[in-house]
Amino acid sequence: MIACLRPLSALCLAGLLVACSSSPSSNLGELPRTPQASVEQMLQKAGTSQSEDAQLLRLSAADLAAKQGNTERAESILKQVDLQLLKPAQQIYASTLKAELALARNDAKAALQALAHPSLDRLGELPVEQQIRTQLARANALEKDGQLLAAARERVFIAPLLSGDEAQRNQEHIWSLVSNLPAEPAPVADDADLAGWLSLAQVAKTVGTLKQQQDAIDNWLAQHPNHPAAQQLPKALADLRALSSKPLEKIALLLPQEGQLASVSRALRDGFLAAHYQAQQAGEQPPQIQLYDSARLTSLDDFYRQAKADGVQLVIGPLEKNLVTQLGSRAELPITTLALNYADPSAKSPAQLFQFGLAAEDEAREVARRAWADGKRSAVALVPKGDWGDRVLDAFRQSWQAAGGNFLGAEHIDQPVDMAGQVALLLQVNGTSRRQDVDFIFLAATPQQAQQIKPTLAYQYAGDVPVYATSHLFSGSMSAAQYRDLDGIRFCETPWLLNADDPLRQQVDSQWPQAGGSMGRLYAMGVDAFRLAPRLDQLKTLPDSRVEGLSGNLSLNSAQRVERQLPWAQFSNGQVQRLPETNIE
């Protein structure tokens, strides 16, 4: 069977599939066959001949070696084939195989280069099987190259040619691609099927309750009854619709009411209850809250037995690290639990355990994301001495290098008197000059340490080096004079502290003034624990969905840990100036 697809070099889809001639034109050439022979037998038969038959045997041998998983052998054989001696059909076959081998070694650029061969203009004249193979290679190369929309476009285009399991796998892959596109701005597509996929992805990312999200999907289905996704929803959306819509009726809030964590616990509790009260004022029917004192626990098993007897459907807490670690080591939990701290990341936690906290590692990853979006590519770091600084540095370095950034070195700051020397060492200051390959400094520091950074950089001929910091340098209660000492530093921060006009924050501030300072982050976390409670299943079923919180933009990773993406601000002339958001494809 022969079918026509547009040339691979085209970026836009146009027209419908049109049947072509059932036999190739005379100068197109034949595709390699699959003889019943081994790689060695085919190569032996081809010998040193440069005839068309010998070239076809070498192509078949290379293809067989690739199918057997021997990519090095396949590439070695393919190098013996001179594309200039091949006819267009054979050039397409060889270019496709070359792209597949490049993808096997994770070289997307080489794969796309192979698929840019002029012969690909005649792909539509080849049998459907070859068209599918070539187009899938291109889709995979675009995906690995980070061109998600273009990869989705390729897969949407070939979807009508597929059937059975292959069609279903392709459809799930399309969904994975479009759902990983940034939510804003929404991409535009001329093709109706692709446009439908993109709008479905937008619907799935709608922030709201489970029922609101299910209603949004139902509305999409009513508007797109003939779309391929309407015929068979992607598995994630089908699972979402199958989730029980039974409302969450009773929550246990498990926090210590005395001891070292009592003040932290009070802020979390008050933020949680403030959000609960706000929901009541808005006419909602929020779950009933029952308080339990984790400081008086004698046994987690006894607590869960009591909570279950009390009709609890979800546990929020505990806060204590040792209790969360105990939960993380269990095979399963009797009740779904959102812990307000983190267990050991190396442990395999039970399926019923979710974890949420103000992790400094989230902010380190956020710095890497923002700096990369701002076009920075080479970084150095200044972090405090000790375990906390090591964890923050590791999180930044891993995220930065995973994005492709160049990490040039770090210094662990401690005593103020040593800072000038450490900065000089880090920036390789020599006389009146410094290294010029540093795009920015990653800074994790207290407000007092941060106030010394800018004058120290100026002293070390590096006053023009951008500084990206975590929220720890911002107390929310410093004077304009102190802010001027931080002039130019960019930092990530919770929406709670950057948006004093938020109605819930104003309500909380009026009752607990300390919520306007650094303690405000804990009140925000309490609010977000309340907002997360009914949406944990949503976040688990749709990993790309998010909850707009006051401690950050919240999502769930594969370990069921809530991760935060934070907004950005900059110190400017004694004021805190909010920075515009960025998007990364």
Side-chain angles (χ1 to χ4, degrees):
M1 175 183 178
I2 304 289
C4 272
L5 292 183
R6 54 83 174 99
L8 276 176
S9 58
L11 291 179
C12 298
L13 302 176
L16 302 171
L17 294 175
V18 179
C20 296
S21 169
S22 59
S23 58
S25 56
S26 57
N27 67 344
L28 185 62
E30 294 184 357
L31 289 172
R33 298 183 180 88
T34 308
Q36 299 298 316
S38 67
V39 171
E40 290 72 18
Q41 288 171 330
M42 285 186 274
L43 292 177
Q44 186 176 5
K45 186 172 183 180
T48 58
S49 172
Q50 296 300 309
S51 68
E52 181 174 345
D53 285 345
Q55 301 286 10
L56 291 176
L57 280 169
R58 293 188 188 98
L59 282 177
S60 293
D63 192 46
L64 180 57
K67 286 185 171 76
Q68 293 173 345
N70 195 341
T71 55
E72 289 186 7
R73 182 82 193 279
E75 287 189 320
S76 174
I77 298 169
L78 194 58
K79 286 177 182 177
Q80 301 173 29
V81 177
D82 187 349
L83 258 65
Q84 301 302 318
L85 301 178
L86 302 179
K87 291 182 177 177
Q90 298 148 14
Q91 290 175 331
I92 292 171
Y93 187 96
S95 297
T96 302
L97 178 56
K98 187 176 182 181
E100 292 168 342
L101 293 171
L103 287 172
R105 62 174 189 273
N106 293 315
D107 192 342
K109 300 289 187 189
L112 290 172
Q113 185 177 4
L115 293 170
H117 193 273
S119 62
L120 274 296
D121 289 344
R122 300 186 66 178
L123 178 63
E125 299 175 52
L126 295 186
V128 168
E129 292 76 12
Q130 183 61 44
Q131 293 184 38
I132 291 171
R133 178 176 177 178
T134 302
Q135 296 289 94
L136 285 177
R138 180 173 172 81
N140 290 333
L142 288 167
E143 180 181 356
K144 284 197 173 183
D145 195 47
Q147 301 182 54
L148 303 188
L149 181 58
R153 185 179 282 117
E154 293 289 328
R155 287 184 172 275
V156 167
F157 194 85
I158 62 173
L161 301 180
L162 305 175
S163 60
D165 292 343
E166 193 173 30
Q168 180 60 30
R169 284 194 298 272
N170 187 62
Q171 185 151 312
E172 290 292 333
H173 214 125
I174 293 170
W175 172 249
S176 175
L177 290 165
V178 297
S179 61
N180 276 293
L181 289 169
E184 294 177 358
V188 178
D190 296 328
D191 178 82
D193 278 357
L194 181 58
W197 279 110
L198 294 173
S199 66
L200 180 59
Q202 293 293 314
V203 164
K205 292 174 183 176
T206 300
V207 175
T209 65
L210 177 58
K211 185 179 186 308
Q212 288 170 333
Q213 202 162 30
Q214 288 174 332
D215 288 346
I217 293 170
D218 288 341
N219 289 337
W220 183 92
L221 291 169
Q223 295 167 12
H224 303 80
N226 298 317
H227 191 275
Q231 309 302 315
Q232 184 165 7
L233 271 177
K235 184 177 183 303
L237 296 188
D239 289 347
L240 184 72
R241 296 184 78 212
L243 287 174
S244 171
S245 58
K246 181 181 178 182
L248 187 60
E249 296 177 348
K250 192 165 188 179
I251 294 176
L253 193 55
L254 177 63
L255 293 170
Q257 296 178 23
E258 54 189 43
Q260 290 183 333
L261 293 174
S263 60
V264 172
S265 174
R266 280 194 297 272
L268 290 168
R269 180 199 63 197
D270 292 342
F272 188 93
L273 295 177
H276 183 271
Y277 180 64
Q278 184 189 51
Q280 286 179 320
Q281 286 183 313
E284 300 175 23
Q285 293 183 323
Q288 178 186 348
I289 310 300
Q290 185 155 340
L291 301 177
Y292 296 83
D293 186 358
S294 58
R296 295 178 178 270
L297 276 185
T298 56
S299 162
L300 280 169
D301 291 326
D302 289 345
F303 159 73
Y304 277 107
R305 275 193 290 269
Q306 183 61 54
K308 207 157 193 177
D310 292 340
V312 168
Q313 297 163 286
L314 175 70
V315 175
I316 304 289
L319 173 63
E320 298 91 329
K321 179 82 171 178
N322 64 314
L323 295 180
V324 179
T325 299
Q326 290 180 45
L327 294 180
S329 66
R330 297 193 172 200
E332 60 180 356
L333 300 179
I335 304 174
T336 300
T337 300
L338 175 62
L340 299 180
N341 209 324
Y342 296 99
D344 182 351
S346 63
K348 180 174 170 51
S349 298
Q352 300 83 7
L353 180 62
F354 297 82
Q355 299 169 64
F356 174 42
L358 301 179
E361 290 88 338
D362 283 344
E363 299 191 21
R365 288 185 283 266
E366 176 60 32
V367 170
R369 186 200 69 82
R370 178 70 189 222
W372 183 266
D374 288 346
K376 311 303 181 189
R377 294 297 179 263
S378 297
V380 294
L382 288 169
V383 300
K385 285 185 177 179
D387 177 66
W388 186 88
D390 291 341
R391 288 191 288 108
V392 171
L393 178 60
D394 285 345
F396 169 77
R397 180 167 47 210
Q398 291 171 16
S399 184
W400 181 246
Q401 291 177 333
N406 186 19
F407 184 72
L408 302 175
E411 282 290 326
H412 290 75
I413 54 179
D414 186 12
Q415 299 299 323
V417 69
D418 297 330
M419 191 177 295
Q422 289 178 302
V423 170
L425 185 63
L426 187 63
L427 298 178
Q428 297 178 0
V429 176
N430 182 12
T432 59
S433 65
R434 61 167 178 83
R435 66 188 305 171
Q436 296 297 311
D437 56 347
V438 176
D439 289 340
F440 77 103
I441 297 170
F442 164 54
L443 175 66
T446 65
Q448 293 72 27
Q449 289 172 325
Q451 282 179 264
Q452 300 175 59
I453 291 295
K454 291 298 287 185
T456 300
L457 289 175
Y459 179 73
Q460 299 293 357
Y461 313 102
D464 58 338
V465 179
V467 178
Y468 287 69
T470 62
S471 69
H472 304 88
L473 86 172
F474 181 57
S475 68
S477 57
M478 295 166 68
S479 67
Q482 290 171 309
Y483 286 159
R484 286 193 183 95
D485 291 336
L486 304 172
D487 202 54
I489 295 181
R490 295 184 164 203
F491 66 101
C492 56
E493 184 51 88
T494 58
W496 178 277
L497 288 183
L498 291 183
N499 185 10
D501 296 330
D502 182 85
L504 183 55
R505 175 181 163 176
Q506 290 182 334
Q507 183 179 334
V508 170
D509 280 356
S510 66
Q511 192 164 357
W512 299 289
Q514 68 269 24
S518 57
M519 287 291 286
R521 300 182 186 111
L522 294 168
Y523 286 89
M525 181 181 163
V527 171
D528 287 352
F530 177 82
R531 294 181 176 180
L532 284 167
R535 299 176 187 173
L536 293 173
D537 282 336
Q538 279 174 276
L539 294 172
K540 185 174 182 178
T541 304
L542 290 176
D544 302 308
S545 59
R546 290 181 173 271
V547 171
E548 296 287 344
L550 292 179
S551 66
N553 193 321
L554 311 176
S555 61
L556 198 67
N557 68 19
S558 58
Q560 298 190 174
R561 293 179 175 224
V562 176
E563 293 186 347
R564 299 177 301 135
Q565 184 173 317
L566 288 83
W568 279 81
Q570 180 173 318
F571 294 105
S572 180
N573 297 320
Q575 301 294 322
V576 174
Q577 178 184 2
R578 182 81 174 257
L579 295 175
E581 302 297 326
T582 60
N583 282 305
I584 305 177
E585 289 205 27

